[in-house]
Amino acid sequence: LHCHVGGDRSASSYALRTRRLIELADRLFPDAPPGWIDVGGGLAGTMPPELRAQFPEPPPGLDDYARSICGPMRERWGADGPVLMVEPGMALLSDVMEFVC
């Protein structure tokens, strides 16, 4: 299962989408979980203060995201659940690029 939602980068939004993916997995794969669940990307990462100031509230840290995503998955499947995939593009690139106009 793969989810890609833009906009809200809060840790709570990732917890919500993870729970929804779990609900969907339970409906679509009643006998066994899917092989993998991809929660998409858009995670905020380390960034310069100028970029950080553009967010309406301070972006979560990677530990916040990990708790929000892994918590529901462990609650549902323990350590034997689907492979978790995360696309950390923004988290990796937010402090390595400069935009010039």
Side-chain angles (χ1 to χ4, degrees):
L1 292 176
H2 181 194
C3 175
H4 239 295
V5 180
D8 190 350
R9 298 177 195 278
S10 69
S12 62
S13 74
Y14 283 84
L16 176 61
R17 73 182 71 172
T18 302
R19 287 192 296 274
R20 295 269 170 90
L21 283 166
I22 290 168
E23 291 169 7
L24 186 59
D26 285 342
R27 277 189 279 158
L28 295 175
F29 305 97
D31 299 325
W36 54 270
I37 288 183
D38 184 337
V39 296
L43 287 75
T46 304
M47 61 184 75
E50 299 83 18
L51 180 58
R52 193 173 191 77
Q54 296 177 33
F55 288 83
E57 53 189 61
L62 296 179
D63 288 342
D64 300 318
Y65 288 123
R67 282 189 293 276
S68 295
I69 296 167
C70 297
M73 290 200 51
R74 281 194 169 269
E75 286 174 20
R76 174 60 184 93
W77 291 296
D80 298 322
V83 171
L84 172 62
M85 297 178 75
V86 180
E87 301 171 31
M90 170 92 170
L92 296 176
L93 297 176
S94 61
D95 67 346
V96 298
M97 297 178 69
E98 290 186 27
F99 296 104
V100 178
C101 296

